[in-house]
Amino acid sequence: MNAPDIAASLEAQFGPRIKSKKLDAIDPFVVVDPADLVEVCRFLRDDPRLQFDLLNCISGVDYLELDPKKAPKAGYEPHLEVVYHLSSFPHKHRFVVKLILPRWKENKAGDMPVVPSVTSQWAAADWHEREVYDLSGVWFDGHPDLRRILLSEDWAGHPLRKDYEFPLEYHGIRGR
Amino acid sequence: MGWVEGRFEENFITTTLEQAINWARESSMWPMTFGLACCAIEMMATGASRYDMDRFGAGAFRATPRQADLMIVAGTVNYKMASRVRRLYNQMPDPKFVIAMGACTCGGGPYYKYGYNVVKGVDLVVPVDVYVPGCPPRPEALLEGLMRIQDKVKGMRYLTKNQPIEVPIPARTGYVQLPPELDDPNPLKAMEKQLAFAKKTKEEAAPSKA
């Protein structure tokens, strides 16, 4: 199946719950609501025409222009995206599902946006979600063991956020 | 060795105990098997047959810090690893020596500005004897660093009395201290002051049309 067919079957199944789609991109994608994510993923994995049995990766993307002069021209409001790259071995096709989230939950800095975990669908999501949590600061609800995977346990902040401030020192070691 | 030299039969060498110990020590530096990143590949090449670190007695890479007396920190040290590096250093028996191999361990290297997780030089964690810059350094450079360590061992005076206490190797610690006229509690204002200062000195240093 090619990307328009996959998007069409998703729209046939979920209708308006597929928020938007972009099929002329290099990696064609649809955007869904975080609340619908697990259901969409289950459909993508279990439908005999789709059979997305491989979760390639989960990425967190921070859209934020720090320079106030460039911000109006940036072309986007500050937000956070979580991107799921999926592949199917039986059908040899690929697809991308995106979530659009606020940078902070209810605009309260420090409160991570919450996304349902897809570890129930793909076991590979376990470490991917831990990495996104670690570096981008997204909370995955229902993850069995959500702790930092790359940085040390007592690290403060999420370094791949654009407004992250580097630590001045860490356990007595000068940072800058 | 002065008056005793040549007074005995052949193959009889006189020296001081200290020189003998230093000679033995420098000719059998045992490095620790300890590679953190890409520099470790170059360290392995140095130990392998083409460059053959064993020619200088330092080919016996030990798998435990307790048998090693040379730590070659080969590769990027990040904050998570720094405590382990420190512990390995503490576990080594005295006298111990450290080579900081590569740009990352010398001072952060390419990660100096945007590496949120990289220690800006391993000398913030352990005292370093020899810095071998490069990204990564050639095996020849590491061998040169090893020879500078051997020079250092050769100069050790552990048994001679009344030697001045060796000053610890200068380590960079703490924050960068700025003069009060350039510092400000608000980092943005401090940066503005420093920029203005830099601009002023640059303008003053510029050649004027006479």
Side-chain angles (χ1 to χ4, degrees):
Chain A
M1 264 172 121
N2 53 9
D5 292 345
I6 296 169
S9 59
L10 275 173
E11 278 178 332
Q13 178 76 15
F14 294 102
R17 287 154 81 189
I18 305 292
K19 293 291 168 200
S20 65
K21 59 180 178 177
K22 186 172 165 64
L23 301 176
D24 54 347
I26 295 171
D27 285 327
F29 65 87
V30 295
V31 178
V32 299
D33 245 15
D36 298 330
L37 176 73
V38 175
E39 222 173 311
V40 171
C41 286
R42 193 179 297 136
F43 177 73
L44 284 167
R45 191 192 60 167
D46 292 341
D47 191 86
R49 294 165 299 160
L50 302 173
Q51 283 193 18
F52 282 101
D53 51 1
L54 177 68
L55 175 68
N56 293 78
C57 66
I58 303 177
S59 318
V61 190
D62 188 12
Y63 285 91
L64 176 69
E65 180 55 63
L66 285 175
D67 192 339
K69 279 181 191 164
K70 289 182 189 165
K73 291 183 203 158
Y76 50 76
E77 291 294 303
H79 67 279
L80 200 71
E81 285 185 9
V82 179
V83 187
Y84 297 77
H85 284 257
L86 309 171
S87 294
S88 165
F89 279 117
H91 295 305
K92 298 188 174 58
H93 55 210
R94 314 149 46 107
F95 204 59
V96 175
V97 177
K98 285 193 187 183
L99 304 179
I100 294 182
L101 305 166
R103 293 194 76 247
W104 301 109
K105 191 183 173 189
E106 287 149 14
N107 282 327
K108 215 171 101 190
D111 266 10
M112 283 178 270
V114 181
V115 169
S117 168
V118 292
T119 41
S120 53
Q121 314 304 315
W122 296 285
D126 187 339
W127 281 18
H128 289 314
E129 286 178 354
R130 276 176 68 185
E131 188 177 345
V132 173
Y133 158 72
D134 189 358
L135 299 176
S136 289
V138 177
W139 187 264
F140 289 91
D141 214 7
H143 189 283
D145 180 27
L146 195 63
R147 55 201 164 88
R148 289 184 184 273
I149 189 169
L150 294 172
L151 299 168
S152 36
E153 286 83 21
D154 55 351
W155 197 264
H158 303 278
L160 294 193
R161 289 286 184 118
K162 289 278 173 67
D163 53 355
Y164 173 76
E165 281 180 20
F166 285 21
L168 273 175
E169 64 116 40
Y170 177 77
H171 288 236
I173 304 166
R174 174 165 73 74
R176 280 193 276 195
Chain B
M1 234 25 249
W3 59 273
V4 283
E5 202 150 22
R7 300 192 111 192
F8 306 99
E9 70 265 37
E10 284 190 16
N11 302 328
F12 191 94
I13 298 167
T14 52
T15 180
T16 61
L17 183 58
E18 198 170 61
Q19 277 177 357
I21 290 174
N22 284 352
W23 170 78
R25 194 167 266 159
E26 69 166 315
S27 313
S28 60
M29 295 299 292
W30 282 6
M32 192 162 62
T33 314
F34 186 56
L36 295 180
C38 33
C39 278
I41 304 293
E42 215 72 357
M43 184 177 71
M44 287 179 240
T46 317
S49 52
R50 186 180 175 99
Y51 295 96
D52 199 8
M53 221 170 169
D54 233 350
R55 289 179 294 164
F56 311 103
F61 278 88
R62 307 311 293 176
T64 162
R66 301 189 194 280
Q67 297 174 356
D69 41 18
L70 172 63
M71 185 156 106
I72 304 175
V73 188
T76 318
V77 184
N78 54 33
Y79 287 129
K80 205 172 178 179
M81 192 69 197
S83 60
R84 277 77 162 174
V85 172
R86 180 77 210 177
R87 171 175 288 190
L88 288 170
Y89 178 79
N90 287 344
Q91 283 176 345
M92 282 162 62
D94 273 331
K96 48 195 169 186
F97 302 91
V98 178
I99 293 180
M101 182 185 178
C104 303
T105 46
C106 287
Y111 308 104
Y112 182 75
K113 194 165 181 195
Y114 297 111
Y116 50 86
N117 196 27
V118 176
V119 178
K120 309 296 182 283
V122 76
D123 49 4
L124 298 171
V125 185
V126 293
V128 174
D129 295 271
V130 170
Y131 297 85
V132 182
C135 191
R138 295 272 315 166
E140 294 95 321
L142 183 58
L143 289 176
E144 178 75 25
L146 171 72
M147 286 170 191
R148 296 289 80 75
I149 291 278
Q150 288 179 331
D151 288 352
K152 199 162 177 168
V153 175
K154 209 181 275 179
M156 282 189 349
R157 293 286 173 270
Y158 266 48
L159 298 178
T160 313
K161 278 183 183 170
N162 301 327
Q163 286 294 308
I165 299 162
E166 198 186 344
V167 183
I169 299 105
R172 301 180 290 133
T173 50
Y175 301 109
V176 179
Q177 293 284 316
L178 288 166
E181 67 267 22
L182 296 182
D183 208 351
D184 198 83
N186 184 352
L188 282 174
K189 277 187 184 167
M191 192 180 281
E192 274 173 22
K193 282 183 185 175
Q194 288 156 38
L195 281 175
F197 177 77
K199 208 174 163 191
K200 192 169 138 250
T201 44
K202 205 169 182 183
E203 277 166 6
E204 281 172 5
S208 57
K209 283 180 194 164

